Structure formats: C-alpha cells, structure tokens
Amino acid sequence: MTRKLRIPALMAVLALLLLPCLGAGTASAADGKPAVQLSTSQAGTGGSVTVNGSGWRAHTLLMLLVCGRATPARGVIGGTNSCANGDGRAVTTDGHGGFTRKLPVAEPPVPCPCVVHVATVTGARAEADAVLDVAGHPVAPLPSAPAGGRLSVISDTRLAGSSGLLTWFGAPPSRTLVFTVGNTGTGSIKDPVFQVGTAHGVFAPEWDDQQWHGTLGPGRKAQVRLPVELSAGAHGDYTVSLKYDGRVLAEQPWGVGRPWGVTLFWILLCLVVPAAVFRAGMAVVDRVRPRRPGGVRHRGLPRPASPLPGRFRRTAPEATTPPTSNLPWFTPDSAPGGPAGRLSAPHDDSPTSPTTPTPKGPT
C-alpha cells in the first residue's frame, strides 16, 4: 500500500519540476522575438545544416549566412565582411513567421567562433544568431570589448517631413531620420558620430557622417534626429541605413515620387521653342520678300477706316443738281429741246393752239 502511494507522489513532484521549464518555453514563443534553431551544432565544410526559425514577421525575406568572429551575445563583429556571403541562402517566412531552410556549411573568411546569422533583407531590421562549430576551421579569441558605452536602437526608425513644391520641379528630396537609441554599455557616450547611407535599388549605399551632439550615460536613452537628403531629381525606391561603430543599426525604406514638374517643363519647352522659331522665321521672310508693284508690301497695306456707328455718323448735305438725261442714245447736249429738253417726243399741249385745217374732199 505504501509502495502504491509513493509512485503518484513521485510523479507529482516531477510534474512540478518540469512545469517551470515548459512554461518558460511557451513564454519564449509567445514573446514573438526572432529565434533560430539548428539541426546540429557542429558540421564540417561541404555539409549542410537545417535552420528553423520562429517569431519573425510574416512573409518577410530573410538572409542566412555562416559568419565567423561572432557570438549571439556580441553579434557579428565586422558585419557581413566576416561571413561566407557566396554560400548564403534566402528564405521567406510563412504566415506565422516561421521557416525551415537547409544551409550549406562553408568556411567564413575570419576565424571562429562562428554562428549562423539570420537577418531581414527588407523592412524593419531584425536579426538572430545560433552557435555553429565549423569543423576544421581555425578558432581565435574575440577582440576585447570596448570599455565604453554601446548604442542600440530601441525603437522603430521613421522618416519625418514631406516634399515641397520645389521638389516637384526637381529640387533635392529631404527627410529627417528619427529614432531612439539607448546606451547598453558601462560608460558614457559623448557626441556619437552616426553614418547615414542612402541606397537606390540594389546599389550599395553611399554613407554620410552625421554627428549627434549630446552625452548619453549608461542605461539612458535619447531621441536622435538626423537629416537625410538625396540628389536633385532623385525618384524611385530608396533605402536609408543607419550605422554606428561599424554595425548597421536600422534600415528604413523610402519611396520618392517622380518630379513631374520637370516633365511638364520639357513638354512646354518643346512647344514654345518651335513656335518662337517659326515666328522669327516668318519675320525674316517678310523682311527679305521683294516689294510688290506700287512699292507696298502685302503686310503694309493701309486698313480702311471703319465707319462710325449709324447714330454718330453725320451725312454731308447733298448738292441739288437738276436731273439730266442719261439715255444711251442721247447726250445732255444733243437731247431735243437743249439741255433742259424733255425726254419724251414733242407734242402740243397748249389749250389755245390753233388747229390745223384739213383739206376737205368732195362730198
């Protein structure tokens, strides 16, 4: 009877011991932080290792690399220059932020300790590392960490500002890169110098040094605002990167609209210049054209004076002239009766004129 009671008691104790471990694993997955797990922690050159990830953003493109001189605590010292970039692989996360991808094991250009480094390619920057022992690759101690402070971006970066009217006509687009940094080191950081890079498409970024004036003590944080400006007439998809102490801290996409004002200017120029040339040519042709008979050019003809409106027009009194005969077979001098003669045949219209006797014949 005592033996039967001991077995349930032991099982209850084991369950209590395992419950914190199971709860910790569940909490880690629920945190949503990017995580990476390897199928094996040691592999030789020419082999492969399966990489499993969780906690990433959904449908995000990731890059997988084998990097040397790196640990999960300190990251990859020297950036991607310490990685076997030629043997890297890309993968896209699923709808739940997970992925599974085989990665060939290659020797990095620097000694180990080595890690499998996973980082986002587009969007907000996120990364995670998992320890990998590359068999046969030399191992060297990591350089000592600086005794000063260490900056880390603790908020999402954003580009503040907007384009003005001059940008629509080709002026350089400008924004302000806003982010919050925290000092995770043991010393103070005074007037840190950041590097802001702008990259167009797949081209490498062009870096510009930007100094932030201020002192950041251990465990303190501050908001940093750095100006970003592109070249005149720039348009398309750009990526703004932030680097400090050789490490890329954040990346921010920037879509720049096309300066349509420049296009409108060239269209108007193509219409105005030919019209002006045509007008100038016609003026030259008009000057060199020979004069017409009479010494007046066709463009120099006087315009007839337009009559005034009827209510303002004054007519001169017409001279009264006696009517004259304008028959085609008479002239005024040869008309019967002289100049004042009648136009009809002559007849006797006097009431007292004697009648002409007519001869009487025999009755």
Side-chain angles (χ1 to χ4, degrees), residues 237-263:
D237 295 329
Y238 284 81
T239 302
V240 180
S241 304
L242 178 68
K243 183 189 290 187
Y244 176 75
D245 197 18
R247 297 183 300 113
V248 178
L249 301 181
E251 291 181 345
Q252 179 69 28
W254 183 10
V256 184
R258 182 182 293 273
W260 292 107
V262 179
T263 306

Side-chain angles (χ1 to χ4, degrees), residues 2-84:
T2 307
R3 190 180 180 91
K4 292 181 179 180
L5 293 175
R6 286 179 179 177
I7 294 176
L10 291 175
M11 293 179 65
V13 171
L14 290 175
L16 291 175
L17 292 175
L18 293 176
L19 185 59
C21 298
L22 294 175
T26 306
S28 176
D31 289 342
K33 295 181 179 179
V36 176
Q37 295 179 352
L38 304 180
S39 59
T40 178
S41 60
Q42 184 177 6
T45 304
S48 62
V49 60
T50 302
V51 184
N52 298 311
S54 61
W56 300 84
R57 295 194 311 273
H59 308 293
T60 302
L61 182 62
L62 306 177
M63 179 62 70
L64 286 65
L65 297 170
V66 177
C67 302
R69 198 181 293 170
T71 60
R74 294 189 58 181
V76 181
I77 301 175
T80 55
N81 292 331
S82 303
C83 304

Side-chain angles (χ1 to χ4, degrees), residues 178-359:
V178 183
F179 57 95
T180 302
V181 294
N183 187 359
T184 59
T186 57
S188 299
I189 301 177
K190 183 178 180 180
D191 298 339
V193 178
F194 296 94
Q195 288 182 305
V196 179
T198 55
H200 182 47
V202 298
F203 295 99
E206 298 180 1
W207 299 100
D208 184 23
D209 293 340
Q210 300 281 351
Q211 187 174 18
W212 180 74
H213 297 281
T215 302
L216 199 62
R220 304 298 296 273
K221 63 180 181 179
Q223 188 182 64
V224 181
R225 304 173 66 91
L226 301 176
V228 183
E229 185 174 290
L230 302 178
S231 59
H235 62 277
D237 295 329
Y238 284 81
T239 302
V240 180
S241 304
L242 178 68
K243 183 189 290 187
Y244 176 75
D245 197 18
R247 297 183 300 113
V248 178
L249 301 181
E251 291 181 345
Q252 179 69 28
W254 183 10
V256 184
R258 182 182 293 273
W260 292 107
V262 179
T263 306
L264 179 62
F265 170 77
W266 284 111
I267 292 176
L268 293 177
L269 189 65
C270 293
L271 295 177
V272 171
V273 170
V277 172
F278 176 76
R279 294 287 300 258
M282 291 302 297
V284 173
V285 170
D286 184 57
R287 287 186 173 276
V288 300
R289 179 179 294 181
R291 293 175 178 270
R292 288 189 173 184
V296 181
R297 297 191 183 95
H298 71 285
R299 291 182 180 268
L301 295 175
R303 298 178 59 184
S306 58
L308 294 175
R311 58 179 179 176
F312 296 106
R313 185 173 56 199
R314 299 179 61 184
T315 58
E318 297 180 357
T320 56
T321 56
T324 57
S325 176
N326 293 327
L327 294 177
W329 54 87
F330 289 117
T331 61
D333 296 335
S334 62
R342 299 172 185 246
L343 299 179
S344 60
H347 64 279
D348 189 5
D349 56 355
S350 175
T352 58
S353 59
T355 57
T356 304
T358 56

Side-chain angles (χ1 to χ4, degrees), residues 81-100:
N81 292 331
S82 303
C83 304
N85 298 312
D87 296 297
R89 293 293 184 269
V91 65
T92 303
T93 59
D94 55 20
H96 302 285
F99 69 90
T100 300

